[in-house]
Amino acid sequence: MIDFSHLSNAHRRAVEIVRDVAREENCRPYLVGGPVRDVLLGRSAVDIDITVERDSSTLARAVAKRIGGRVKSFPQFLTYKVTADQMPEIDIATARKEKYRTPGALPSVASGNLRDDLLRRDFSINAIAVDLIDAELHDPTHGQRDLENRLVRVLHDRSFADDPTRIYRGIRLATRLGFAIEPQTAALMRKAIDSGALESISKERIWHELFMAMDESDAATILTAFSREGALDVLFGRRTADPSLLEIVRRLVTANPELDAYVLYTSALLRGDASPIDLEGSGFSQKRARNVVQIANELGRFADALSEAKSERHRLRVLKHASPELLSVLAATQPEEQPHLERFREFKTFSIPLRGNDIELPPGPHISRAIERTREAVFTGEIPPEEARSFAQQIAQKYFERSQAAGHRIEN
Ligand code: ATP
């Protein structure tokens, strides 16, 4: 009998609702894949994955109705996603068989029975199903034995050639669970990597796998393993990741979830030699790509510019051009910059009691620039606070005259 007691209340409720609704609709739902693996390991699950041999659409709509949720359909995967507030996502799929005509290409999909559906999966520990009506376990590939022996094992010798993304999935899953890759599986993985199997998949799919690895709590170990196995060469050419730098990033993003983890991990992987070409397929916006390249290539130069800055004002100017990600790496890797970074943090929240309409000039960008310049001057002690207003007036006047002169030049 499977023990659902490790599931959260919401997950248990979702399973019970699926079971009750399926009984009413006279269909047989199986809990499959990740959640079964996690339940058998006594871990909490993320999503609820259900497979049925028929009537997936009827079941999905009836479940959505019961919980007041929405249904989204993914016809290419014969899947429905049911979502509702306070509920885990419930995926309801028709059991399917898959055929890989060309290695690395997406498979052709046809409906099948539960066994077909389990045999198309990536690893034995992900190929176990629980019948929610009679609680019977279906484990045609001995996934339970592998769970006990803590092994990640593929189901057949062509698995990595059919779908090389399983190389990344296998390493990610083994690291997350603290499992080993079963020796024959490891040999097949090696062979697939050495024979260039990863070149048969698109860069976009590889980046998708990389981002999933970066979302894991132990991303540093996973990325180090990807690099060690040569699974990143297809994107970045031969280079070796620096585990200690990846670990620094892991600590930074764990402590501060607002930082862009994808940018930081990528810059760590490309340390010292990043170019926009390395980011092809990542979908990074120009701004994020610039951030990656800057952190990877210019951290040293940036630190030099800081230590060479002639005054605190110049130093603040340098720091203002840095992204929060760059600043975080700088703080973690260059402890001697710590006092400067601390001052910069103070500067960011420092304010002076001066508003735009305190300055007697027509409105325009010269006003906000002058106020910002005055804020710098007060903060760094260049002027005493009581002179802020007259200083701002003079500076704004200067900027205004300059902009007028530039305007005249353009007109003439
Ligand atoms: P988690 O969501 O906790 O990372 P999961 O096992 O649920 O784990 P998903 O990516 O949601 O992972 O995949 C759901 C299931 O689909 C997996 O358990 C596995 O059985 C199957 N699966 C996913 N990707 C593949 C693949 N590339 N090849 C074969 N089966 C796959």
Side-chain angles (χ1 to χ4, degrees), residues 50-308:
I50 301 290
T51 291
V52 284
E53 290 182 336
R54 56 180 178 81
D55 302 333
S56 56
S57 144
T58 314
L59 180 62
R61 284 173 218 294
V63 168
K65 193 166 170 209
R66 179 68 49 93
I67 60 179
R70 296 159 296 279
V71 184
K72 222 168 141 186
S73 126
F74 297 86
Q76 72 275 35
F77 299 119
L78 310 171
T79 299
Y80 297 87
K81 211 176 260 308
V82 182
T83 50
D85 294 341
Q86 320 283 332
M87 273 281 172
E89 216 166 77
I90 306 175
D91 279 0
I92 299 182
T94 305
R96 66 189 205 237
K97 335 185 216 249
E98 287 176 351
K99 213 188 209 147
Y100 288 86
R101 295 223 168 77
T102 334
L106 291 174
S108 61
V109 174
S111 56
N113 59 26
L114 177 70
R115 189 179 160 80
D116 296 323
D117 194 273
L118 295 177
L119 294 183
R120 71 165 175 89
R121 290 176 184 257
D122 46 5
F123 308 111
S124 64
I125 58 173
N126 285 343
I128 313 174
V130 185
D131 183 328
L132 290 184
I133 302 294
D134 65 12
E136 196 187 330
L137 227 90
H138 295 257
D139 181 15
T141 66
H142 306 293
Q144 285 186 94
R145 190 186 59 200
D146 289 329
L147 280 176
E148 273 156 33
N149 295 327
R150 307 177 70 74
L151 292 174
V152 170
R153 184 170 57 81
V154 284
L155 307 191
H156 56 87
D157 287 1
R158 286 203 49 75
S159 186
F160 291 124
D162 280 348
D163 180 355
T165 63
R166 292 172 185 161
I167 294 169
Y168 303 105
R169 289 182 60 84
I171 294 173
R172 177 161 61 88
L173 191 60
T175 309
R176 184 202 294 171
L177 301 176
F179 281 23
I181 309 244
E182 176 271 333
Q184 168 71 2
T185 298
L188 292 166
M189 192 185 272
R190 182 71 283 124
K191 199 168 133 207
I193 295 171
D194 291 347
S195 66
L198 291 169
E199 279 151 36
S200 68
I201 44 179
S202 68
K203 292 197 167 178
E204 285 74 8
R205 287 183 72 198
I206 300 180
W207 274 103
H208 178 67
E209 294 297 329
L210 272 192
F211 292 147
M212 290 210 285
M214 293 174 188
D215 284 335
E216 295 273 334
S217 60
D218 204 357
T221 309
I222 301 172
L223 296 172
T224 302
F226 284 176
S227 167
R228 187 184 58 234
E229 297 303 327
L232 300 180
D233 298 8
V234 60
L235 289 182
F236 307 143
R238 187 70 216 129
R239 50 173 102 201
T240 314
D242 174 353
S244 56
L245 186 59
L246 289 167
E247 177 54 23
I248 287 175
V249 170
R250 190 192 66 76
R251 273 192 241 131
L252 288 174
V253 299
T254 310
N256 187 353
E258 282 181 8
L259 292 173
D260 189 332
Y262 294 172
V263 161
L264 279 170
Y265 279 121
T266 307
S267 66
L269 290 172
L270 295 173
R271 176 74 184 265
D273 181 21
S275 112
I277 294 172
D278 295 316
L279 306 179
E280 237 174 61
S282 66
F284 279 134
S285 64
Q286 266 187 15
K287 185 172 170 213
R288 293 172 84 200
R290 231 178 296 124
N291 202 1
V292 169
V293 174
Q294 191 184 32
I295 300 170
N297 295 355
E298 292 173 24
L299 201 65
R301 235 174 297 159
F302 199 83
D304 290 347
L306 273 186
S307 53
E308 285 159 17

